[in-house]
């Protein structure tokens, strides 16, 4: 069985602060994929990143960075120098590949960045 | 390059009615997945269609059915609507089932 836990329901920060969103996952598969999606108030899920289980390198994309640690089954997401436009619900998701095609999502973290 | 499109944007139905939601995949994609997102929750997988067949199904009753057309577009049908079916229905497309899924804007269904 697959499970994704996002323990932080809501986070509120002031613009320019750094913020980290936590994601812990459970799977028995050795091959799997992890994702982060952003859902602004409009409702559309916007893809941010995909990571496979064999690649533990951290990734940086502009103000966004991701820390993947298999030892703790975590895939955390950090926004540096947050901006008001970063306000959204962020979802972590897991797919175990093979013949399992579904994404299993966490419950999401609502990030509010105040000016 | 057109992304995933869904119609309608909003829909209001009454209990017991039937509804059909539509999805056109991103250009070049051949696989469509459907998700239900209740308020304050993460999306839940309903099913995935590939080559016009249901390839995988989540934990949803038979009232939820779907179809994929030769042009890869897809429909989600829900029969005998319940109040609990009120949700945002999201369609995602991908190239093959294991590829990254890209989502459409969703259809907000309200059942009264």
């Amino acid at each position: 069985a697959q499970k994704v836990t996002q323990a932080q329901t809501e986070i509120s920060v002031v613009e320019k602060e750094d913020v980290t969103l936590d994601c812990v996952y459970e799977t028995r598969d050795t091959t799997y994929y992890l994702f982060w999606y952003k859902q602004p108030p409009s409702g559309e899920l916007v893809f941010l990143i995909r990571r496979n289980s064999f690649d533990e390198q951290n990734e940086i994309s502009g103000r966004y960075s991701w820390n993947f640690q298999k030892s703790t089954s975590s895939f955390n997401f950090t926004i540096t120098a947050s901006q008001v436009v970063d306000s959204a619900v962020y979802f972590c998701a897991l797919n175990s590949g093979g013949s399992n095609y579904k994404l299993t999502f966490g419950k999401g973290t609502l990030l509010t960045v105040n000016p | 390059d057109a992304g995933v499109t869904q119609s309608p944007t909003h829909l209001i139905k009454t209990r017991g009615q039937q509804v059909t939601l539509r999805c056109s995949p991103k250009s070049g994609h051949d696989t469509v997945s459907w998700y239900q997102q209740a308020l304050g929750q993460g999306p839940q997988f309903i099913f995935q269609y590939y080559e016009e067949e249901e390839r995988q199904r989540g934990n949803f009753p038979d009232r939820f059915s779907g179809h994929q057309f030769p042009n890869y577009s897809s429909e989600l049908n829900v029969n005998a609507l319940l109040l609990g079916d009120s949700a945002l229905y999201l369609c995602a497309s991908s190239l093959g089932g294991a590829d990254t899924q890209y989502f459409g804007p969703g259809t907000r269904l309200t059942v009264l």
Side-chain angles (χ1 to χ4, degrees):
Chain A
Q2 301 180 111
K3 185 178 179 182
V4 175
T5 302
Q6 294 180 255
Q8 304 151 308
T9 305
E10 295 187 36
I11 299 176
S12 182
V13 299
V14 176
E15 210 171 13
K16 297 184 183 176
E17 280 186 33
D18 297 348
V19 57
T20 295
L21 309 181
D22 297 333
C23 172
V24 174
Y25 62 92
E26 295 176 31
T27 179
R28 294 185 191 140
D29 297 290
T30 55
T31 300
Y32 51 89
Y33 302 89
L34 295 163
F35 301 81
W36 276 94
Y37 286 88
K38 173 182 180 180
Q39 188 174 43
S42 61
E44 182 170 347
L45 280 168
V46 178
F47 166 72
L48 297 177
I49 191 171
R50 166 188 167 118
R51 221 54 182 148
N52 74 53
S53 53
F54 297 107
D55 184 0
E56 284 194 75
Q57 273 193 330
N58 291 332
E59 174 132 354
I60 298 175
S61 177
R63 297 184 297 106
Y64 295 171
S65 63
W66 291 269
N67 184 352
F68 176 29
Q69 291 195 337
K70 286 178 75 171
S71 60
T72 56
S73 297
S74 65
F75 186 43
N76 297 336
F77 172 30
T78 297
I79 302 175
T80 302
S82 59
Q83 299 176 1
V84 172
V85 293
D86 295 328
S87 297
V89 180
Y90 290 85
F91 289 97
C92 181
L94 168 68
N95 169 256
S96 61
S99 59
N100 180 16
Y101 305 106
K102 72 175 185 180
L103 287 172
T104 298
F105 285 85
K107 291 189 175 181
T109 297
L110 172 61
L111 173 64
T112 302
V113 181
N114 299 296
Chain B
D1 180 20
V4 180
T5 60
Q6 292 186 244
S7 63
T9 307
H10 294 89
L11 207 49
I12 299 176
K13 292 286 188 179
T14 56
R15 280 178 297 175
Q17 284 190 313
Q18 178 264 342
V19 68
T20 297
L21 311 182
R22 295 177 176 81
C23 171
S24 290
K26 187 177 167 71
S27 178
H29 286 181
D30 59 5
T31 301
V32 173
S33 303
W34 287 92
Y35 292 81
Q36 180 195 65
Q37 186 179 16
L39 205 58
Q41 301 295 316
Q44 298 291 315
F45 176 76
I46 303 175
F47 41 52
Q48 185 180 89
Y49 275 84
Y50 173 70
E51 291 189 341
E52 302 179 48
E53 291 193 358
E54 183 184 291
R55 178 156 66 175
Q56 185 179 4
R57 188 179 183 90
N59 189 25
F60 279 80
D62 292 344
R63 298 187 297 109
F64 289 77
S65 63
H67 188 77
Q68 186 179 33
F69 299 94
N71 67 352
Y72 307 120
S73 67
S74 176
E75 289 182 348
L76 164 65
N77 301 293
V78 187
N79 294 323
L81 285 167
L82 304 174
L83 296 179
D85 294 332
S86 295
L88 178 67
Y89 288 85
L90 293 162
C91 168
S93 75
S94 57
L95 181 59
D99 188 26
T100 298
Q101 295 181 24
Y102 293 87
F103 286 80
T107 294
R108 173 77 59 189
L109 172 65
T110 302
V111 182
L112 302 176

